[in-house]
Amino acid sequence: MRLSIEEYILGTIPVLEVVAEDNIGKRLPLIVYYHGWQSSKELTLTQGRYLARQGFRVILPDAFNHGKRKMPMTDIPSLTFWQSIHTNLFEFGYIIDALQKGNLVDDQIGVGGLSMGGMTTTALLTQHPEIKAAACVMGTPKLVAYRDRIFEHATQMNRFFPHDYNKLLKWIPEYDLSLQPEKIAGRPLLFWHGKQDVVVPYNHVVEFMEENKEKENIEFIHEDEEHLVRPQTMEKITEFFVDHLLS
């Protein structure tokens, strides 16, 4: 199968669009897939190819401060990180609206992402009921806990923090899926996490699964890996979206 990989600017958002050449102008199920911290859309292209071969239109955006939007990283801990997620949240609806106006998307919309992109994914589930299925890979649904973890680590290193840190990030609890798991509302949700991950805590997802063990729509795949995604994991993510958006 021949794929079309097109790079363009959607509004002000640099994206890669991946789709089978036979499907270029058709209304298709959509996957928006977000990259991780200090990465770029190009590094999620392999996952995009896997999905496009199955009949999806795949949009891979560059997050703010990343890829084609790269800017110098601030010395203030977590500022650039949270800005990047926050901007993803602002821009998601714009991406969907633009593709719908172009008659390129049907009502089957999926979202996924790696690490920071996985956090974006869980945050989007709290506000976007139009999302039909989601995959959080190496991310966390516990944004408040992750915010506090960054603060604790930076404090131990005697890094500067603004005294009103939590106020400046007061939007985070509103987008923390662990504080409002009812927002999942029966939608299929996949978590994948490596047990040896020291970047984003594995135990966050373990705790979330224990807190929501009655929800049969949540799947958790955990393997003896670090903060790394291998091709076989990408295949599992693809199978998840095929099962829940194409069948």
Side-chain angles (χ1 to χ4, degrees), residues 1-5 19-24 52-53:
M1 176 185 292
R2 293 178 62 87
L3 298 178
S4 166
I5 302 172
V19 64
E21 286 188 352
D22 292 344
N23 289 336
I24 287 176
R53 290 190 186 102

Side-chain angles (χ1 to χ4, degrees), residues 48-222:
R49 288 190 179 101
Y50 275 107
L51 292 163
R53 290 190 186 102
Q54 297 301 319
F56 293 103
R57 185 179 306 283
V58 184
I59 296 293
L60 310 172
D62 267 334
F64 189 58
N65 297 315
H66 291 75
K68 293 290 175 62
R69 310 166 91 176
K70 185 76 171 177
M71 297 172 64
M73 297 291 175
T74 175
D75 288 335
I76 302 173
S78 82
L79 173 55
T80 305
F81 176 79
W82 292 116
Q83 275 183 336
S84 301
I85 293 179
H86 201 207
T87 305
N88 282 344
L89 302 180
F90 263 97
E91 293 175 341
F92 174 76
Y94 180 87
I95 292 170
I96 302 302
D97 182 69
L99 294 172
Q100 288 176 335
K101 286 178 177 175
N103 201 32
L104 296 173
V105 179
D106 61 23
D107 61 356
Q108 294 296 95
I109 296 172
V111 178
L114 306 174
S115 192
M116 180 182 78
M119 297 181 204
T120 296
T121 297
T122 63
L124 286 169
L125 284 173
T126 68
Q127 308 296 327
H128 290 274
E130 70 272 23
I131 296 171
K132 299 298 195 297
C136 173
V137 182
M138 305 188 303
T140 174
K142 291 179 171 281
L143 297 190
V144 170
Y146 196 74
R147 177 199 66 187
D148 295 345
R149 180 177 186 265
I150 292 173
F151 178 79
E152 290 168 6
H153 285 191
T155 300
Q156 291 168 5
M157 296 171 64
N158 293 317
R159 299 283 302 278
F160 167 80
F161 256 98
H163 71 276
D164 51 351
Y165 175 69
N166 285 344
K167 287 183 179 179
L168 290 166
L169 296 177
K170 65 181 180 180
W171 60 270
I172 290 178
E174 296 292 331
Y175 287 84
D176 186 317
L177 188 62
S178 70
L179 301 180
Q180 43 195 325
E182 70 279 1
K183 294 288 187 67
I184 300 171
R187 291 176 289 181
L189 173 57
L190 171 67
F191 288 99
W192 182 94
H193 218 109
K195 295 179 182 178
Q196 307 304 322
D197 193 337
V198 297
V199 178
V200 181
Y202 166 72
N203 68 291
H204 279 192
V205 184
V206 173
E207 292 167 4
F208 183 82
M209 292 302 298
E210 181 62 27
E211 293 160 1
N212 294 279
K213 56 188 175 184
E214 79 285 355
K215 292 182 170 63
E216 296 180 357
N217 53 302
I218 307 177
E219 181 180 354
F220 182 24
I221 301 174
H222 44 102

